[in-house]
Amino acid sequence: MAELHSIINGINFKNPVMPAAGPNVKTAALMLSAAELGAGAVVSKTFSTVPASDPRPTIKKTVAGGLLNCETWLEDSYENFFDELRQLSALDVPLIVSIGYSPEDVKLLGRLLEEEIKPDVIEFSTHYTGHGIGPLIEVAESLKSTVSVPVWMKVSPGFPLLEELVKEAEPIVDAFVAVNSFGPALDFDPVKCRPSLGSAWGQGWLSGPPLMPIALGIVCSLSRIVRKPIIGVGGITTGEDAVKFIMAGASLVQVCTAAIKEGPSAYGRIAGEINSWLDENGFADIGEIKGKYTINL
Ligand SMILES: Cc1cc2nc3c(=O)[nH]c(=O)nc-3n(C[C@H](O)[C@H](O)[C@H](O)COP(=O)(O)O)c2cc1C
């Protein structure tokens, strides 16, 4: 059995696979199942100071095993979600809590999380904060100046100046999560010729296998320009997919769409498949493949 353990931001991860923020982790029960079924850490659904109100339908299947969604953040109050997070006190893997979106939102939620929940990491989503680098740096500074735990910045693949953003953010944050879903994307039934999602024009965000080459490309580019750890996410369905992200420079990986389809057993299954892949290919420790692709270039 190969060694999957790693230490990132001073935190022990028994294996590199964890959920990505999404409907797969919107309750304490789902997060606890993720850990029980073998995830190396648990990430929560993103929440903010006000509940979201998502149009229906919110999720539809699209080509090549992908999903389109117009789900934003948690459709419940942060007070109610804190009650869910309190049920995770016995969790035996690191807890990463995902929040958004303005400097004021993350300051308030960051302070309350440290006082009441004590997560291992706070991740913030940049998905709905706008397209300028300045506002995102302001959010990063606001959260970092409020909390003592590591702060992870989750970046979106459509952001026009992604490399400039991570260069400016690197001195502030502790790691990058790359990437969120890609959009605006569209699919629909041509016979009905009507939107399949409830959003404006039926457009949404693409996730799952069709996103993987885009996400992998971004992880590879970012790993060549930042030294802080990168958590790879986008289309990971198998252990071999995860191996590619780690070879492209990721330290850990996150999984959303595969877990929406399969349930929380996906994380432990993928971790087991990474282990088998390492054994079959003659590696004793996951550290041996970290950045192997980029180093070979
Ligand atoms: C239905 C749905 C809801 C999502 N909600 C969030 C969210 O609340 N916060 C966030 O940062 N990312 C969210 N995401 C993006 C995922 O965390 C992930 O970055 C993206 O889907 C790519 O990974 P995947 O291909 O494994 O799904 C969501 C994705 C889906 C499909």
Side-chain angles (χ1 to χ4, degrees), residues 269-292:
R269 173 185 58 75
I270 292 170
E273 289 173 8
I274 297 174
N275 213 313
S276 306
W277 192 96
L278 293 172
D279 285 347
E280 283 159 21
N281 289 279
F283 296 101
D285 189 307
I286 193 153
E288 292 169 34
I289 63 162
K290 166 87 197 297
K292 191 171 162 56

Side-chain angles (χ1 to χ4, degrees), residues 20-23 45-46 59 69 71-72 125 154 179-181 207-208 211 233-235 255-257 260:
K45 170 73 184 166
T46 307
I59 307 178
N69 83 86
E71 179 173 309
T72 53
S125 165
K154 181 163 180 187
V179 288
N180 213 309
S181 43
S207 67
L211 178 63
V233 48
V255 175
C256 179
T257 296
I260 293 173

Side-chain angles (χ1 to χ4, degrees), residues 116-134:
E116 298 182 28
I117 307 295
K118 306 196 187 323
D120 297 279
V121 172
I122 300 179
E123 176 181 302
F124 71 98
S125 165
T126 57
H127 217 45
Y128 299 109
T129 312
H131 283 292
I133 291 179

